[in-house]
Amino acid sequence: MDGSWRDVLAVLAILAGLTASGSGYQIIEGPQNVTALRGSDARFNCTVTHGWKLIMWALKGVVQLSVTSQEPIITNNRFTSASYNSSDSFVSEMIIHDVQPDDSGPVRCSLQNSDIFGTAFLSVQVMGTLDIPSNNLIVTKGEPCNVTCYALGWTPFPVISWELEVPVSHSSSYSFLDPGNFMRVLSVLDLTPLDNGTLTCVAELRDLQAGKSLAVNLTVVQPSPDSVGEEGASLPTWAIALLAVAFSLLLILIIALIIIFCCCVSRTEKKESSYQNEIRKSAAVRTNKAEPKLSLKSGKENYGYSSEEARAAQIASLAPKPGEVSLQEQHSSRGHAYQEPSKRRPSPASHPRVSFDITSPQKVRNVTLV
């Protein structure tokens, strides 16, 4: 009993001594941030003044390693210690073996019974896999093609580039996140090969200067005669675009000309129709003025019948005018004068008389009375 009590009192005395002695020392320089690759080792250093008694290392708030002036106290084999002495300081190093993504977090170095500590951050990156669907690609010479490289399970996403060991006339690449799988990055290489060679997809973690690569063989075959003929007959892209623009402009011009022609024809037709209508109207007016209206007769016309009015008009037209009667009288008197010179001239009271047959106006007899 007395021996056990003495051991307990000794431990308490040591702890009290460590507490008292450690309170006067400080950390000169704390640990620095570390980025490590999964499966590798991560190292952190903490520099303190001489005379320290206990240094504690904690990861994500949990003490994983304690270091005393005599020896380190190791509770987890993944966390080990190394130390370096100098003239005016002491350097304690904590080594984390086989780091994993779950180890990412804050790392703290502190002295026992001291409010002074140094903090750093551990970042663990993961190098995933690379995949190209085919190890041997067969393409046609001079024809554009593309090759896709898949990067899966990388943290963070890698930077993907291509190394071309094949003659090409054109090449370009671009990368994007796979919409169907947010843990996969795709890189597409567009190229126009001219001969056989090798293509290499390179994925790199820039912070660690580490990466992976995957190569694929490219076999170039000659184009078939049909494809050569089609290629020779085809026009360049700029020529096709120019022809399309020219055809569009020509089509617009033709439509405009058709519209203008239709407008002109419609105007001409309107003018001609109005002019013809005017002519028809004037001709109709003249016809109505010049020609009397004819009354329609019903039934058959009797051409042998003549009304009293028509007979009177015909008689009037056949009656001799006063001048004509005088001329006839003169001619008859002259004839009688030559034949009978001894006879005297008729008196003024005796005038020539004309008798007409009213029943048949077509026969006219002239009678001269002397």
Side-chain angles (χ1 to χ4, degrees):
M1 287 292 293
D2 293 340
S4 62
W5 279 107
R6 280 195 296 271
D7 292 339
V8 172
L9 292 175
V11 171
L12 292 175
I14 292 172
L15 292 175
L18 291 174
T19 303
S21 60
S23 61
Y25 301 100
Q26 60 184 351
I27 297 174
I28 299 174
E29 183 179 3
Q32 304 294 320
N33 295 335
V34 173
T35 299
L37 187 64
R38 182 180 64 178
S40 63
D41 295 342
R43 297 174 178 269
F44 297 90
N45 293 330
C46 185
T47 303
V48 299
T49 58
H50 284 294
W52 60 276
K53 297 300 181 181
L54 182 64
I55 300 175
M56 293 178 293
W57 288 95
L59 175 63
K60 299 170 66 173
V62 179
V63 176
Q64 301 290 349
L65 178 66
S66 298
V67 180
T68 64
S69 56
Q70 288 83 17
E71 59 182 5
I73 301 173
I74 298 174
T75 58
N76 190 334
N77 292 329
R78 292 183 59 232
F79 299 86
T80 60
S81 175
S83 58
Y84 311 94
N85 277 314
S86 64
S87 58
D88 56 353
S89 63
F90 174 81
V91 178
S92 176
E93 182 179 36
M94 180 182 68
I95 305 171
I96 305 175
H97 302 277
D98 190 21
V99 292
Q100 298 298 319
D102 293 341
D103 295 332
S104 298
V107 176
R108 187 175 68 176
C109 167
S110 63
L111 297 174
Q112 189 180 18
N113 297 330
S114 174
D115 295 334
I116 301 174
F117 58 86
T119 304
F121 193 86
L122 171 62
S123 176
V124 179
Q125 296 187 358
V126 180
M127 187 182 299
T129 60
L130 289 179
D131 181 39
I132 297 177
S134 178
N135 294 328
N136 189 7
L137 301 175
I138 300 176
V139 297
T140 304
K141 180 180 179 180
E143 292 187 1
C145 63
N146 59 73
V147 183
T148 304
C149 181
Y150 300 88
L152 178 63
W154 293 69
T155 304
F157 294 127
V159 178
I160 302 178
S161 59
W162 290 86
E163 294 178 356
L164 278 66
E165 297 179 2
V166 56
V168 297
S169 61
H170 166 76
S171 66
S172 63
S173 63
Y174 56 94
S175 301
F176 59 94
L177 188 64
D178 188 356
N181 186 354
F182 295 126
M183 294 298 295
R184 185 168 68 172
V185 180
L186 280 66
S187 179
V188 179
L189 172 66
D190 294 328
L191 74 159
T192 304
L194 300 177
D195 204 348
N196 300 334
T198 303
L199 303 175
T200 304
C201 176
V202 180
E204 185 178 8
L205 296 172
R206 292 289 176 86
D207 294 338
L208 297 176
Q209 297 297 316
K212 284 184 177 181
S213 62
L214 180 63
V216 62
N217 295 323
L218 187 68
T219 303
V220 178
V221 298
Q222 296 296 328
S224 61
D226 296 338
S227 62
V228 171
E230 292 177 358
E231 182 179 359
S234 62
L235 295 175
T237 304
W238 62 268
I240 295 174
L242 185 60
L243 288 176
V245 172
F247 180 76
S248 301
L249 294 176
L250 180 60
L251 183 61
I252 293 172
L253 180 60
I254 291 172
I255 293 173
L257 290 176
I258 291 173
I259 293 172
I260 294 172
F261 178 76
C262 292
C263 293
C264 294
V265 170
S266 61
R267 290 179 182 177
T268 304
E269 289 179 353
K270 287 181 180 179
K271 290 181 179 179
E272 290 181 355
S273 61
S274 60
Y275 178 72
Q276 291 175 357
N277 291 333
E278 293 296 329
I279 291 177
R280 291 193 187 97
K281 289 180 181 179
S282 60
V285 171
R286 291 176 182 175
T287 304
N288 292 333
K289 289 181 179 180
E291 296 179 357
K293 294 182 179 179
L294 298 176
S295 59
L296 296 176
K297 297 181 180 180
S298 61
K300 296 183 179 180
E301 186 176 358
N302 188 357
Y303 295 99
Y305 173 77
S306 179
S307 63
E308 296 297 332
E309 295 179 356
R311 291 177 181 177
Q314 189 172 7
I315 292 170
S317 63
L318 294 175
K321 295 181 181 180
E324 294 177 353
V325 175
S326 300
L327 289 175
Q328 290 177 1
E329 182 181 0
Q330 291 176 4
H331 285 294
S332 61
S333 61
R334 285 178 184 177
H336 288 288
Y338 285 109
Q339 293 175 4
E340 300 177 359
S342 61
K343 292 182 179 180
R344 63 176 182 177
R345 298 179 65 178
S347 62
S350 60
H351 294 284
R353 295 179 182 178
V354 179
S355 63
F356 300 94
D357 186 2
I358 297 176
T359 56
S360 58
Q362 295 180 355
K363 298 179 180 181
V364 178
R365 292 184 299 176
N366 293 329
V367 180
T368 302
L369 298 179
V370 179

